[in-house]
Amino acid sequence: MQTSFGDLTVVDAHAHFFSHRFFAALAASLPEPPSPLSEDALFDTLGKRLAFELPPKDPVELAKRWVEELDRHGLARSVLIASVPGDEDSVAAAARAFPDRFIPYFMLNPQAPNALERTKRGFRELGMKGLCLFPAMHHFHVWEKEIRPILEEVAASRGVVFVHCGVLKVGVRDKLGLPNRFDLRFANPVDLSGVAQSFDTVPFVVPHFGSGFFRELLLVADECPNLYTDTSSSNAWTSRLPTPLSLAEVFERSLDVLGAERILYGSDSSFFPRGWQKDQFETQVGVLEQLRVTHEQAAAVLGGNLTRLVP
Ligand SMILES: [Zn+2]
């Protein structure tokens, strides 16, 4: 992609694959789920209320839509996250159809009875590259001993562990009025300190600069060289601090502590017609320019780092 730093290979480290199955799971969790869950019922219940395009049933068709979107903007590749537990087959299909364009990650509730089997199947059979944990959503600490076998499996498969810490907003759930019991007690990056040291070959990615736990992210990153962050979303948490930070200040402190090689550009894109979030990308490139990072540093943040982690 042509940027103010020259022609760079841009890879998005954080995008959600809102598949047909994702929306069906969402509809099924409504207080009065439509029955039967037909195409029309899904559209009536969700499509109108969300003002999103409901995706085609075949995940490969949705993947094609994403390829067009990446091409339109000049992105080389993107992570796609299966964003409801059990939807890994959808992103697997997308990545199988376009192996050069998509890096499949999947959400797992590690406390579910079949969690270890799902992890094994995900990495070994479906070719997943990353496991996504949402401790505040599923109410566990990443250091609990029940989680270890799952992390051992990720380590054996050379996968990435994405751990959502801090404030969690799931826009689609909010729009549908679904209750969220996200518990911040489980969302502190400090929970990762011992775990990241035990699994020192595994890259742990904490998105959105810790989403409010910025100080904690920096402290843990300082002691764990395998801790990464991504730059995704609007980073609205910056305005909720006792002393609000600008995005430039957040980038500057992160560059100081983590270095350019542990910051991954991400967009947090998820649905159509919005598609890839270009404005945020331009804002972030503007911040990198303002901070006068080198061409090499910009190339690392905007794609090189993720390419190194997930060749
Ligand atoms: Zn996200």
Side-chain angles (χ1 to χ4, degrees), residues 132-201:
C132 302
L133 300 175
F134 289 75
M137 183 187 287
H138 295 129
H139 299 177
F140 66 94
H141 293 285
V142 283
W143 46 257
E144 285 169 38
K145 67 175 191 303
E146 292 74 19
I147 316 296
R148 286 192 75 89
I150 291 169
L151 296 177
E152 280 162 9
E153 178 58 32
V154 183
S157 303
R158 299 178 183 275
V160 169
V161 177
F162 168 108
V163 185
H164 194 289
C165 297
V167 176
L168 177 59
K169 295 256 178 250
V170 184
V172 278
R173 295 186 64 86
D174 294 343
K175 281 188 183 163
L176 293 172
L178 287 168
N180 291 322
R181 295 196 182 83
F182 301 153
D183 190 333
L184 279 172
R185 277 180 303 168
F186 301 103
N188 194 325
V190 171
D191 272 8
L192 275 162
S193 170
V195 176
Q197 289 177 66
S198 300
F199 292 91
D200 60 359
T201 60

Side-chain angles (χ1 to χ4, degrees), residues 128-297:
M128 295 291 128
K129 301 291 184 192
L131 177 80
C132 302
L133 300 175
F134 289 75
M137 183 187 287
H138 295 129
H139 299 177
F140 66 94
H141 293 285
V142 283
W143 46 257
E144 285 169 38
K145 67 175 191 303
E146 292 74 19
I147 316 296
R148 286 192 75 89
I150 291 169
L151 296 177
E152 280 162 9
E153 178 58 32
V154 183
S157 303
R158 299 178 183 275
V160 169
V161 177
F162 168 108
V163 185
H164 194 289
C165 297
V167 176
L168 177 59
K169 295 256 178 250
V170 184
V172 278
R173 295 186 64 86
D174 294 343
K175 281 188 183 163
L176 293 172
L178 287 168
N180 291 322
R181 295 196 182 83
F182 301 153
D183 190 333
L184 279 172
R185 277 180 303 168
F186 301 103
N188 194 325
V190 171
D191 272 8
L192 275 162
S193 170
V195 176
Q197 289 177 66
S198 300
F199 292 91
D200 60 359
T201 60
V202 176
F204 288 86
V205 180
V206 175
H208 324 302
F209 302 99
S211 197
F213 285 122
F214 185 48
R215 183 185 69 150
E216 290 76 5
L217 172 87
L218 295 180
L219 292 171
V220 180
D222 191 39
E223 66 176 14
C224 303
N226 52 330
L227 196 89
Y228 295 72
T229 192
D230 83 32
T231 66
S232 69
S233 88
S234 59
N235 285 296
W237 61 266
T238 50
S239 62
R240 297 191 198 100
L241 299 175
T243 309
L245 290 171
S246 69
L247 193 59
E249 288 168 318
V250 172
F251 267 82
E252 190 172 28
R253 293 301 299 133
S254 302
L255 286 163
D256 283 348
V257 179
L258 289 97
E261 62 284 356
R262 288 198 280 153
I263 302 172
L264 311 173
Y265 158 71
S267 71
D268 213 1
S269 303
S270 55
F271 62 88
F272 288 101
R274 186 181 71 178
W276 183 63
Q277 303 208 64
K278 185 172 189 252
D279 293 353
Q280 277 175 21
F281 176 80
E282 285 175 347
T283 302
Q284 295 188 12
V285 171
V287 165
L288 291 172
E289 264 185 277
Q290 186 190 330
L291 296 173
R292 298 178 183 279
V293 306
T294 64
H295 176 273
E296 285 69 29
Q297 289 174 316

